[in-house]
């Protein structure tokens, strides 16, 4: 008897996402992180974006005249960046899940080109070189 075959358990992790929304809050309430902008794990940006949200929110709360104004300012500052990352991550996930052999061959060949490498590096540089407010 092969003990390993009896012990094997299939692990399944569902990924649930949604398109970026136009509003995260109202009055004295807002969302941040995955609650505001759930992102597929393809770029590894979920926790990073939540931390960026927290820094920007803290900065806005420091400088705004009232809480609702600070929350709307935070949302305005973060919406475009998080929507871009959410959309890029979703697209990369879709491309990586192609099953058609011809499409997979084409994807793999294109990903080896200098243009693809340069584009990928530019995307990573843009994500990692984002300026954040100084809380010091």
């Amino acid at each position: 008897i092969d003990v390993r075959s009896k012990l094997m358990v299939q692990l399944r992790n569902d990924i649930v996402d949604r398109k970026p929304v136009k509003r995260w809050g109202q009055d004295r309430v807002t969302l941040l992180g995955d609650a505001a902008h759930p992102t597929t794990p393809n770029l590894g940006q979920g926790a990073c974006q939540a931390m960026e949200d927290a820094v920007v929110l803290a900065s806005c709360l420091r400088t705004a005249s009232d809480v609702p104004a600070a929350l709307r300012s935070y949302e305005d500052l973060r919406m475009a960046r998080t929507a871009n990352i959410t959309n890029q991550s979703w697209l990369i996930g879709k491309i990586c899940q192609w099953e058609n052999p011809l499409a997979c061959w084409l994807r793999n060949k294109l990903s080896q080109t200098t243009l693809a490498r340069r584009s990928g590096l530019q995307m990573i540089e843009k994500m990692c070189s984002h300026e954040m407010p100084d809380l010091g």
Side-chain angles (χ1 to χ4, degrees):
I1 297 174
D2 184 2
V3 175
R4 287 181 295 166
S5 65
K6 291 188 178 211
L7 294 176
M8 290 188 65
V9 176
Q10 186 177 16
L11 178 63
R12 177 182 170 150
N13 291 315
D14 293 332
I15 297 174
V16 180
D17 66 338
R18 63 169 162 75
K19 291 182 179 181
V21 295
K22 296 184 189 311
R23 201 170 80 179
W24 295 343
Q26 182 177 331
D27 300 325
R28 297 177 58 88
V29 175
T30 195
L31 302 172
L32 62 82
D34 281 347
H37 43 80
T39 304
T40 58
N42 305 298
L43 291 176
Q45 284 292 301
C48 297
Q49 293 309 302
M51 288 187 280
E52 284 185 18
D53 286 353
V55 170
V56 172
L57 180 56
S59 177
C60 290
L61 287 167
R62 265 185 165 178
T63 58
S65 58
D66 64 23
V67 172
L71 301 181
R72 300 302 79 79
S73 177
Y74 146 76
E75 293 165 3
D76 291 342
L77 291 169
R78 295 293 297 153
M79 286 258 175
R81 177 165 168 77
T82 59
N84 183 40
I85 289 172
T86 298
N87 290 331
Q88 284 181 6
S89 186
W90 179 87
L91 179 61
I92 289 170
K94 284 297 179 193
I95 291 170
C96 290
Q97 293 176 36
W98 287 348
E99 294 182 8
N100 179 291
L102 181 58
C104 291
W105 177 85
L106 181 62
R107 173 200 61 212
N108 294 344
K109 287 297 179 189
L110 289 174
S111 70
Q112 296 171 3
T113 66
T114 302
L115 179 61
R117 285 190 207 121
R118 192 175 304 132
S119 297
L121 288 173
Q122 287 172 344
M123 180 181 67
I124 291 169
E125 182 179 7
K126 184 176 180 181
M127 274 192 307
C128 295
S129 64
H130 183 69
E131 292 291 323
M132 296 297 296
D134 182 11
L135 296 179

